[in-house]
Amino acid sequence: MSEKKATTREEMMAVEIVIGKIMRIGVFLAATVMIIGFVMLMIKGTSGYPGNSFPTTLSGVISGMSALKPYAWMMGGIYLLILTPVLRVVISIYAFIKEKDYLYVKITSLVLLILIVSFFLGHR
């Protein structure tokens, strides 16, 4: 095996390790935020919102979290859980650029674009 292939393989293994860590940390943070919201709900006995309403926008979640509203904390955890794989796609793009694999840069960038468009369309 040539020296260049060995170096590329080592770099890709390092990127895969980083991606794995990011996925674990993202899921752990999301679960922690959701658990904090659930504990707050159990202690307060109220969601912090009238009736069956809850925050649906990022700004609503952030303002609700700063006001210590339990449902906002749980929604914040869900947002973190959704953003974790998006971060993985972004890191993959960086890895493919570093590897100079431009076909995969284009494909992964298209996947990121589709994710971003779907978030905006889903919000409407």
Side-chain angles (χ1 to χ4, degrees), residues 59-111:
S59 61
V61 169
I62 291 171
S63 65
M65 288 178 76
S66 64
L68 299 177
K69 295 182 178 184
Y71 273 18
W73 277 80
M74 289 189 265
M75 287 298 295
I78 291 170
Y79 278 161
L80 285 174
L81 191 61
I82 291 169
L83 289 176
T84 299
V86 175
L87 183 58
R88 187 223 190 283
V89 172
V90 170
I91 291 171
S92 295
I93 292 171
Y94 170 76
F96 292 135
I97 288 172
K98 195 169 182 180
E99 191 180 304
K100 295 183 171 108
D101 193 344
Y102 298 113
L103 175 63
Y104 282 106
V105 169
K106 290 176 186 175
I107 293 169
T108 312
S109 297
L110 180 62
V111 168

Side-chain angles (χ1 to χ4, degrees), residues 4-21:
K4 184 176 180 176
K5 284 185 180 180
T7 303
T8 302
R9 186 175 293 210
E10 289 172 10
E11 288 174 352
M12 289 309 294
M13 289 293 287
V15 169
E16 288 297 323
I17 289 170
V18 168
I19 288 172
K21 285 180 182 179

Side-chain angles (χ1 to χ4, degrees), residues 20-73:
K21 285 180 182 179
I22 287 172
M23 296 295 285
R24 283 190 297 274
I25 290 169
V27 170
F28 177 78
L29 284 175
T32 301
V33 170
M34 283 189 263
I35 290 169
I36 289 170
F38 181 72
V39 169
M40 289 170 60
L41 179 64
M42 293 293 106
I43 291 171
K44 289 184 172 187
T46 179
S47 70
Y49 295 93
N52 291 330
S53 64
F54 54 89
T56 56
T57 63
L58 184 59
S59 61
V61 169
I62 291 171
S63 65
M65 288 178 76
S66 64
L68 299 177
K69 295 182 178 184
Y71 273 18
W73 277 80

